[in-house]
Amino acid sequence: GNKTTVLPAARYAFACESIGDIIYIMAGGNSSFDSINTCLSFNTVNKTFSNLTSMPATRAYPASVINDGIIYDLGGGVQPILFPIYYS
């Protein structure tokens, strides 16, 4: 049957890239709506997560790109992530 693998902790607004069988998950926001700097990798073959070195600063909604096998994580915001919702 189908198996689902979930992130070790709630996370959104992250950058994500893949190289070979590894998916890299960088920065983003946590369940408290704070920007974070932690990074993970996910091995698609053995279905396991590994903690990676954290980024020097927190980033939510960063962009990422791969160039010559190196992942670059750019931009994003560093403040708590709260967006107002307006109703009419």
Side-chain angles (χ1 to χ4, degrees):
N2 291 334
K3 283 188 160 186
T4 301
T5 303
V6 297
L7 288 165
R11 179 185 296 241
Y12 67 97
F14 52 87
C16 187
E17 296 287 353
S18 65
I19 299 175
D21 295 331
I22 308 295
I23 298 171
Y24 296 90
I25 302 159
M26 300 153 290
N30 64 19
S31 60
S32 298
F33 300 103
D34 294 318
S35 55
I36 57 176
N37 66 341
T38 56
C39 301
L40 302 168
S41 65
F42 178 70
N43 184 309
T44 61
V45 175
N46 63 24
K47 310 289 189 235
T48 58
F49 285 97
S50 297
N51 290 317
L52 302 174
T53 301
S54 293
M55 296 173 54
T58 63
R59 294 279 179 243
Y61 296 101
S64 61
V65 64
I66 300 172
N67 184 38
D68 289 331
I70 299 170
I71 299 173
Y72 295 89
D73 199 59
L74 334 157
V78 294
Q79 73 284 351
I81 309 159
L82 296 174
F83 297 105
I85 300 173
Y86 299 98
Y87 297 97
S88 57

